Amino acid sequence: MRLLLDTQLVFWWQTGDRKIPAEARILVEQSIEPVLVSRVSLWELAIKAGVGKLKIDLAMFAKQVGIIGFSWLSIENEHVLQVAALPLFDDHKDPFDRLLVAQSLSEPLILLTVDAKLARYGNTVRVV
């Protein structure tokens, strides 16, 4: 099973936050495939840092992805095009989450997330 971490999980992983669900920790640690982090997560964190919602050393975050053994997933045209095919829910319009879901569908990958709203997007999303 190829895993893609949502932004919240990869941020918690890097900061050693105890909020990481046990199921996510087990899946990541037992994965025989590279665990992926989307470039959209770096973009999302950059925007949050830029508007003052988050204090983060973005260069260190980017470097740490590889150091801790994760791999980057680039944003491809097919991922962006897949976003347009996703259903739109009134209570969830986050463009970063939608791109993560689109990547999980296009590749395919299992998107690990703590956001229960994403489960509606199908079987490539796993809420932990």
Side-chain angles (χ1 to χ4, degrees), residues 2 8 10 20 34 45-47 49 59-60 66 72 76-78 89 100 106 111 117 120 124 127:
R2 295 177 56 212
Q8 188 68 61
V10 73
I20 300 170
L45 293 171
I47 288 175
M60 182 56 73
W72 285 109
E76 304 296 339
N77 287 350
E78 66 188 85
F89 300 106
L100 288 168
S106 298
L111 173 60
K117 291 179 182 179
R120 296 178 285 192
T124 63
V127 179

Side-chain angles (χ1 to χ4, degrees), residues 14-45:
Q14 283 204 17
T15 60
D17 198 306
R18 293 182 180 187
K19 294 178 191 169
I20 300 170
E23 181 183 1
R25 188 172 298 284
I26 290 167
L27 288 168
V28 168
E29 290 174 352
Q30 293 181 351
S31 180
I32 58 173
E33 298 283 339
V35 174
L36 300 171
V37 174
S38 176
R39 298 261 183 220
V40 76
S41 291
L42 183 59
W43 179 23
E44 180 178 8
L45 293 171

